[in-house]
Amino acid sequence: MSGAFSLGDVVRRFIESSYPDASSQDWTVALSGGVDSMVLTRLLKPIADEWGVSLSAVHVNHGMRAEAARDAQFAEKACNELGIPLSLKTISLHDVPPELHKSVEADARRLRYQAIVECVLGVQNVPGSSGVPRGKADSNPSGGQVMGDSVENNKVHKPVVFLAHHADDQVETVLLRLLRGTSVEGLRGMQPVREWQGIRWMRPLLTVSKSQLVDYASSNGIDCIQDETNFDTHFTRNYIRHEVIPKLHHVQPNLAEVIGRLTDVLEAEDRWLAEVSQEHFRTLVQKRGKDLVIHTERLLSIPLPLQRRVVKIILYCLASADWTFDHVDSILRLCRESGASALVHLPGRVRVRKSYNELHFLRVDSRKSDIGSVTGAGQLKWRLDEQSMCRLQWSGSEQSWTFRCDRWNGREALGLLLADRYQALFPKGLEVTIRSYRAGERMKVLGLQGSKKVQDLFVDAKVPRHLRAEWPCFYVGDDLVWVPGVARSTLFLLDEFQDGWHVIAQSVPS
């Protein structure tokens, strides 16, 4: 029983220190039926009974395995034996919109958390539930509200959801984020307590190893089920778990403890950086109508890590998207560039407009046209993304342009596009700059040998002389890659069967 007491004490003290008012709230435990969640449920039950708390469980059927129905029946039987109400939720990966699709693992996680939220709050189609409760995606780092969303009162007691992630899961998470590229914030790993979607999510087992949970289950006769897909090393997390971490244990036997200390240190440092960044946000950012405005020189005067965080705070004030390093970096590059006017298009209908020495952040109304009016010396920056669109009109121009970006399936026939110069394909991960060409500029034209002057390309395409100076040209960095309606370059092409972005250009007289 000593093992039973020690684990129970870990959970009890965690709750008492993390959420003193937890006993006044309803508790829900996410129950898969595996050893981790079964042990956590067994540990929570006597605490809930002692404190007079209502404890329930939720089981999510992902519909991905033949044994899914068996797992649901097991969870139902276990809850009946413990006297715990159980909610069963079924999800389908087909419910993930194409523009939000990432991977099987990520999509399943997204839908699983959304199902838990719907179950706990008793609502359907939770708005803004595109993320999961782990990083800044689960809270606004400015401490304020997302524009257009309701303000959440932090003084209101929130329902509690318990998750059974343990120390070994934390190791996997940190390694995954390190391999994918992350910041100090990401290397903090999973947080023990996190508020998201009006719920307090708690992970009381992050200091407990998998082996301790297995030993506890064995010593106390706790039945559990095994998910066979956890051994499929085609999934990245499983590969790290079964192939990478065992080798790391040869180098560092106390890997979980070392990672745990790292996340504790980074959590404290990240919290301090967040506080400093929020102070800079309050002093540097002004609200003018619907725009959030910051002076470029003042932003660039603070250290680079704080620049990035202030920009990210602004973005989260506008939309709860998965803001990445690339998004933030594109804005800081815009800030440093010498041009007087430019525009960056970002996900979530967020636009960042440079006007001389100011950056204007805004979220456009989806019901209105988004027209970027740019001076003759200006430029527009556009990060290619699913179903994104921008409209461009240079000051005084006789016509405006509409550009629409959609996903391109590499299995489609490339030949269908080759004859239409108003359509182009690009690899994923590109940010393009749209501006007018410069005198003497040349382009390596697809289908021709060598390069050709852009001026001559306009002549060949019979573009009227008075329209050439305001004709939009697409650049990646300093490379001219496409003149819509005229020619496509040999740079940044798609390989056969490669997925990418399909951009369609349309010119409309003003």
Side-chain angles (χ1 to χ4, degrees):
M1 293 298 294
S2 60
F5 172 79
S6 61
L7 276 188
D9 195 44
V10 167
V11 173
R12 181 187 298 269
R13 292 187 178 184
F14 173 86
I15 298 172
E16 290 174 340
S17 63
S18 302
Y19 196 8
D21 296 327
S23 60
S24 63
Q25 307 305 309
D26 292 336
W27 294 359
T28 302
V29 59
L31 180 65
S32 67
V35 62
D36 313 333
S37 62
M38 285 298 298
V39 168
L40 178 58
T41 303
R42 182 70 70 89
L43 293 171
L44 287 171
K45 173 61 174 170
I47 301 175
D49 289 344
E50 178 185 338
W51 292 358
V53 175
S54 173
L55 174 65
S56 62
V58 56
H59 175 86
V60 180
N61 180 347
H62 297 76
M64 297 169 57
R65 303 163 46 245
E67 299 82 7
R70 176 209 68 183
D71 297 349
Q73 292 174 358
F74 175 87
E76 193 168 18
K77 179 175 180 292
C79 286
N80 285 337
E81 292 176 351
L82 289 172
I84 298 175
L86 174 69
S87 297
L88 297 174
K89 299 285 288 186
T90 300
I91 61 176
S92 171
L93 294 184
H94 298 295
D95 293 336
V96 177
E99 66 272 15
L100 297 179
H101 170 70
K102 292 184 178 180
S103 67
V104 172
E105 295 169 285
D107 292 348
R109 182 171 59 250
R110 175 192 302 275
L111 292 176
R112 179 167 63 251
Y113 281 107
Q114 180 176 327
I116 294 173
V117 171
E118 292 174 353
C119 177
V120 172
L121 299 183
V123 296
Q124 295 293 324
N125 300 320
V126 179
S129 58
S130 62
V132 295
R134 49 182 181 82
K136 293 292 189 193
D138 49 7
S139 64
N140 180 356
S142 70
Q145 75 179 98
V146 175
M147 295 175 65
D149 295 343
S150 61
V151 181
E152 186 174 73
N153 186 351
N154 289 325
K155 295 182 179 180
V156 175
H157 296 312
K158 300 175 176 65
V160 179
V161 172
F162 287 94
L163 305 171
H165 297 114
H166 48 76
D168 297 70
D169 291 326
Q170 185 76 294
V171 173
E172 296 167 11
T173 298
V174 171
L175 291 177
L176 269 171
R177 295 182 184 180
L178 181 64
L179 292 173
R180 291 170 178 168
T182 189
S183 61
V184 170
E185 177 189 355
L187 289 177
R188 296 179 312 162
M190 296 179 287
Q191 298 305 288
V193 180
R194 177 63 65 186
E195 293 181 8
W196 180 72
Q197 293 292 332
I199 297 172
R200 182 159 295 197
W201 305 76
M202 304 181 73
R203 298 180 172 98
L205 301 179
L206 284 181
T207 60
V208 180
S209 69
K210 177 78 170 187
S211 61
Q212 287 177 288
L213 297 176
V214 172
D215 290 344
Y216 179 86
S218 177
S219 300
N220 291 272
I222 299 177
D223 292 331
C224 59
I225 54 178
Q226 183 65 261
D227 183 349
E228 296 82 0
T229 62
N230 286 336
F231 297 94
D232 185 353
T233 54
H234 287 93
F235 294 112
T236 306
R237 180 177 286 272
N238 290 344
Y239 181 83
I240 290 175
R241 177 183 303 158
H242 298 294
E243 300 291 339
V244 177
I245 291 179
K247 293 181 173 62
L248 291 177
H249 276 299
H250 292 302
V251 180
Q252 176 49 268
N254 300 318
L255 184 61
E257 291 84 349
V258 170
I259 294 294
R261 288 197 298 270
L262 172 67
T263 58
D264 288 344
V265 170
L266 293 180
E267 165 65 18
E269 295 185 358
D270 183 71
R271 191 184 309 116
W272 177 80
L273 283 169
E275 291 172 358
V276 175
S277 301
Q278 288 167 16
E279 182 59 35
H280 281 296
F281 170 82
R282 286 188 287 268
T283 59
L284 296 179
V285 179
Q286 300 177 344
K287 193 171 189 302
R288 299 182 193 167
K290 293 185 178 181
D291 292 13
L292 294 178
V293 183
I294 190 168
H295 195 285
T296 56
E297 291 183 3
R298 294 186 66 190
L299 175 62
L300 295 176
S301 69
I302 64 177
L304 179 59
L306 297 178
Q307 294 175 29
R308 292 174 177 148
R309 285 173 176 261
V310 169
V311 168
K312 208 168 185 181
I313 291 173
I314 299 174
L315 293 176
Y316 274 112
C317 285
L318 296 172
S320 295
D322 290 333
W323 299 116
T324 67
F325 176 86
D326 288 340
H327 294 137
V328 175
D329 190 56
S330 66
I331 295 169
L332 291 179
R333 288 203 310 271
L334 179 68
C335 201
R336 291 189 291 263
E337 288 174 353
S338 58
S341 178
L343 183 68
V344 173
H345 288 241
L346 296 171
R349 306 195 309 277
V350 172
R351 306 292 181 259
V352 184
R353 188 187 308 277
K354 183 178 182 182
S355 178
Y356 294 97
N357 58 358
E358 289 184 337
L359 289 184
H360 291 248
F361 295 74
L362 68 153
R363 188 180 188 187
V364 299
D365 190 330
S366 59
R367 297 167 295 181
K368 299 179 181 179
S369 299
D370 179 22
I371 301 180
S373 180
V374 185
T375 64
Q379 59 188 19
L380 182 150
K381 289 185 179 293
W382 183 27
R383 176 163 291 278
L384 303 184
D385 210 342
E386 176 79 11
Q387 295 183 342
S388 62
M389 184 179 74
C390 68
R391 299 188 64 194
L392 170 69
Q393 183 173 8
W394 269 272
S395 300
S397 174
E398 295 185 8
Q399 58 188 19
S400 64
W401 287 79
T402 298
F403 305 102
R404 180 178 178 84
C405 178
D406 286 298
R407 187 184 301 273
W408 175 261
N409 187 326
R411 292 184 295 275
E412 299 180 54
L414 284 171
L416 295 177
L417 291 181
L418 295 182
D420 189 344
R421 294 175 181 173
Y422 284 89
Q423 301 186 50
L425 299 177
F426 294 98
K428 292 185 177 181
L430 290 185
E431 178 184 75
V432 298
T433 299
I434 307 174
R435 63 171 173 83
S436 57
Y437 84 104
R438 292 166 182 160
E441 201 162 19
R442 306 180 70 90
M443 184 172 79
K444 295 182 179 179
V445 181
L446 182 64
L448 299 179
Q449 292 185 348
S451 62
K452 197 167 184 177
K453 283 187 177 181
V454 177
Q455 174 68 28
D456 294 337
L457 293 174
F458 281 133
V459 173
D460 294 342
K462 296 181 172 57
V463 175
R465 182 185 297 273
H466 68 283
L467 294 180
R468 296 172 191 172
E470 60 194 31
W471 200 273
C473 299
F474 276 54
Y475 293 80
V476 177
D478 295 327
D479 296 318
L480 175 59
V481 296
W482 184 36
V483 182
V486 177
R488 175 72 164 92
S489 84
T490 58
L491 303 174
F492 297 97
L493 299 174
L494 280 188
D495 295 329
E496 189 176 8
F497 305 122
Q498 181 183 0
D499 293 344
W501 300 123
H502 175 200
V503 179
I504 302 174
Q506 183 178 11
S507 172
V508 182
S510 300

Short mmCIF file of all heavy atoms in Angstrom, two decimals, residues 121 158 262 264 298 334-335 352 429:
data_model
loop_
_atom_site.label_atom_id
_atom_site.label_comp_id
_atom_site.label_asym_id
_atom_site.label_seq_id
_atom_site.Cartn_x
_atom_site.Cartn_y
_atom_site.Cartn_z
N LEU A 121 -18.64 21.15 -21.38
CA LEU A 121 -19.41 22.38 -21.38
C LEU A 121 -20.84 22.18 -21.86
O LEU A 121 -21.67 23.09 -21.78
CB LEU A 121 -18.73 23.44 -22.25
CG LEU A 121 -17.32 23.86 -21.82
CD1 LEU A 121 -16.79 24.96 -22.74
CD2 LEU A 121 -17.30 24.32 -20.37
N LYS A 158 -13.79 27.48 -12.91
CA LYS A 158 -13.90 26.71 -14.13
C LYS A 158 -13.97 25.22 -13.84
O LYS A 158 -13.35 24.75 -12.88
CB LYS A 158 -12.70 27.00 -15.04
CG LYS A 158 -12.57 28.47 -15.43
CD LYS A 158 -11.29 28.71 -16.22
CE LYS A 158 -11.23 30.16 -16.69
NZ LYS A 158 -11.12 31.09 -15.56
N LEU A 262 14.68 20.71 -16.94
CA LEU A 262 14.74 21.67 -18.05
C LEU A 262 13.42 22.41 -18.22
O LEU A 262 13.39 23.64 -18.34
CB LEU A 262 15.10 20.94 -19.35
CG LEU A 262 15.02 21.78 -20.64
CD1 LEU A 262 16.08 22.86 -20.65
CD2 LEU A 262 15.15 20.88 -21.88
N ASP A 264 11.10 22.87 -16.03
CA ASP A 264 10.87 23.75 -14.87
C ASP A 264 11.63 25.07 -15.03
O ASP A 264 11.10 26.15 -14.76
CB ASP A 264 11.29 23.05 -13.58
CG ASP A 264 10.35 21.93 -13.18
OD1 ASP A 264 9.22 21.90 -13.71
OD2 ASP A 264 10.75 21.09 -12.35
N ARG A 298 10.41 52.07 -32.57
CA ARG A 298 10.28 51.73 -31.15
C ARG A 298 10.27 50.23 -30.96
O ARG A 298 10.84 49.71 -30.00
CB ARG A 298 9.01 52.37 -30.58
CG ARG A 298 9.03 53.89 -30.55
CD ARG A 298 7.82 54.44 -29.83
NE ARG A 298 7.83 54.09 -28.41
CZ ARG A 298 6.80 54.27 -27.59
NH1 ARG A 298 5.66 54.76 -28.07
NH2 ARG A 298 6.89 53.93 -26.31
N LEU A 334 9.38 42.92 -42.53
CA LEU A 334 8.65 44.06 -43.06
C LEU A 334 9.01 45.33 -42.29
O LEU A 334 9.17 46.41 -42.86
CB LEU A 334 7.14 43.78 -42.94
CG LEU A 334 6.18 44.87 -43.42
CD1 LEU A 334 6.27 45.01 -44.93
CD2 LEU A 334 4.76 44.53 -43.00
N CYS A 335 9.18 45.18 -41.00
CA CYS A 335 9.52 46.31 -40.14
C CYS A 335 10.90 46.87 -40.48
O CYS A 335 11.12 48.10 -40.44
CB CYS A 335 9.49 45.83 -38.69
SG CYS A 335 9.28 47.11 -37.47
N VAL A 352 -1.18 42.89 -42.00
CA VAL A 352 -0.23 43.81 -41.39
C VAL A 352 0.22 44.77 -42.49
O VAL A 352 0.82 44.36 -43.48
CB VAL A 352 0.98 43.07 -40.80
CG1 VAL A 352 1.90 44.06 -40.09
CG2 VAL A 352 0.53 41.98 -39.83
N GLY A 429 5.20 26.68 -48.15
CA GLY A 429 6.14 27.37 -47.27
C GLY A 429 6.73 28.64 -47.84
O GLY A 429 7.75 29.13 -47.35
#
